Structures are given as C-alpha cells and as structure tokens.
Amino acid sequence: QVQLVQSGAEVKKPGASVKVSCKASGYTFSDFYIYWVRQAPGQGLEWMGKINPNGGSTNYAQKFQGRVTMSRDTSTSTVYVEVSSLRSEDTAVYYCARGRTERWLQSHDAFDIWGQGTMVTVSS
Amino acid sequence: EIVLTQSPGTLSLSPGERATLSCRASQSVSSSYLAWYQQKPGQPPRLLIYGASSRATGIPDRFSGSGSGTDFTLTISRLEPEDFAVYYCQQYGSSYVFGQGTELEIK
C-alpha cells in the first residue's frame, strides 16, 4: 500500500541541526511532489516547503528560507528535511505528505498521504 | 499571502446532528484550490475534501464541501462518534496556507 514512513523522535540542543527522513513506498517515487508540514504542540499546521523527487528542485516557505534544506535519495525513495540553527520554537511534530495527483497533472495540490510524524524537541 | 480564518473556533454538537464549519479567505482562492482535513489526537491529518467540493478516496458521503472565491464550508450531515476531531482548511492555489482549525467536540 502507499505509505510514507518517517524516522524517529529527536532531541537537540539550541543551535544544532536536525535531519528527518521520510521513506516512500507503494508508488512511483518520482511521480509525486513531497511536502513538509510542522505542528508545534497544541498548535495548527504550518507548511514548510516542497520537493520534486524528479530532479530535486525545491520550493520553501519564506519563513524557512536559508534555514531549511530539503533533499532526496532516489535509490532509497527517501526525502529529507534538515533544519539548522534550531531554537525552542522549532519544537514540533514534523510531517511529510504526498501531493494527491501526479506532478505533471497539477503543480499545486492537496496532500493525500501523510507520514506518521516525527517529534523534534529543542531543549538545552 | 492569503490568510484563512476558520469559524467557529470550537463547535459543540451531539452525535446525529449536522455540523457546519466555515473557512474564509482574505483573497479569492484560485480555481477553488481549497482542501479540508480532519485530525485526531496523535495522528496526522487526513484529507477529506479537495477542490472545494470533491471527496477524497474512502471519505463517507456524510462529508461535503462547498463554496468558491473567499467563502467555503465543510458540512457533516449526521455526526458519528468518530467525527469529533479538529478540522483544518487549506488553500493550495497560491503557496500553501492552513486555517487555524475548528475543534468539533461532543456536547
């Protein structure tokens, strides 16, 4: 079945970096955009950016420009998000999600498959 | 950037009742690129509606979406116990923005 499986929880100190992975299975990896969304404890959803697994081009939310890097490894059908210069406000659950339709049909799309989430805690 | 405002913040209803959730955009949402998600505690969001009114795969027909331009509505015709959750709207026509959410709680 189509699924996205994310890496486990992380605890980091302020100023450090964290890299979260999201492994796709059950579909052709390069055919669908992958998005990253985060959710601080008790808060709403915040879009961070998207990556095209075919070629690796990225589009980041302005808030995260310069501090977030998304990448992919086509050999393992895995995408990554790395957040640098962590601060306490980055404490959140980080989700990857797949676009609903093939990327050549729609460049903007709703998110139909989600990973289980990865809790990142930033604390000294 | 488009801002989405959801109302009410909390909606208290009983199973069997009808729920109406609102999502208002600060600017017109292009091509009705408006989605609704349901989220339960400890779970990722689940896509319910895309394109303002199309149900996602496997979503029961008691969920329906409507609206265009700046005003959108999610309606749950007869609430089931499993429908009590937080609901988010999202626009995906111009970047990607979520509303702040509506909590649907059991009365």
Side-chain angles (χ1 to χ4, degrees):
Chain A
Q1 72 281 23
V2 176
Q3 60 178 353
L4 300 173
V5 178
Q6 298 183 222
S7 50
E10 302 266 9
V11 179
K12 297 291 182 181
K13 293 193 182 303
S17 297
V18 67
K19 192 171 186 178
V20 177
S21 68
C22 168
K23 183 174 175 60
S25 62
Y27 71 96
T28 302
F29 176 67
S30 61
D31 285 356
F32 295 82
Y33 291 113
I34 293 290
Y35 301 82
W36 287 93
V37 174
R38 76 177 188 180
Q39 185 171 37
Q43 302 301 307
L45 303 166
E46 181 175 35
W47 175 71
M48 300 176 67
K50 81 179 194 185
I51 183 168
N52 180 351
N54 182 55
S57 61
T58 54
N59 178 17
Y60 301 130
Q62 189 165 6
K63 172 178 179 176
F64 297 102
Q65 294 266 4
R67 209 164 63 90
V68 163
T69 303
M70 296 177 188
S71 58
R72 96 285 190 223
D73 181 346
T74 56
S75 69
T76 59
S77 299
T78 302
V79 296
Y80 303 89
V81 65
E82 183 170 20
V83 184
S84 61
S85 304
L86 287 166
R87 35 207 188 230
S88 59
E89 308 89 90
D90 295 316
T91 294
V93 176
Y94 289 74
Y95 293 104
C96 60
R98 194 193 76 163
R100 191 184 61 84
T101 48
E102 289 86 347
R103 53 182 172 76
W104 58 85
L105 292 177
Q106 195 149 309
S107 59
H108 292 268
D109 214 343
F111 310 159
D112 71 337
I113 305 294
W114 292 67
Q116 82 276 20
T118 296
M119 182 71 214
V120 174
T121 303
V122 183
S123 174
S124 55
Chain B
E1 181 177 91
I2 295 177
V3 175
L4 299 179
T5 302
Q6 294 187 237
S7 60
T10 303
L11 185 57
S12 300
L13 294 170
S14 300
E17 291 193 291
R18 180 185 186 91
T20 302
L21 287 67
S22 173
C23 177
R24 178 161 290 178
S26 60
Q27 306 169 43
S28 183
V29 176
S30 59
S31 302
S32 293
Y33 285 160
L34 193 288
W36 289 92
Y37 298 85
Q38 175 194 69
Q39 188 179 32
K40 297 180 180 179
Q43 296 184 17
R46 173 193 181 198
L47 177 64
L48 300 175
I49 301 288
Y50 63 92
S53 61
S54 297
R55 269 188 302 276
T57 303
I59 301 304
D61 61 7
R62 65 179 181 273
F63 291 91
S64 63
S66 63
S68 64
T70 60
D71 289 298
F72 298 88
T73 301
L74 174 70
T75 302
I76 310 171
S77 58
R78 284 179 54 87
L79 285 166
E80 298 287 343
E82 62 267 27
D83 297 338
F84 292 91
V86 179
Y87 292 82
Y88 294 96
C89 59
Q90 176 206 33
Q91 74 84 22
Y92 52 94
S94 170
S95 190
Y96 300 86
V97 176
F98 292 92
Q100 83 280 14
T102 289
E103 181 181 5
L104 177 56
E105 66 173 23
I106 298 178
K107 187 174 181 179

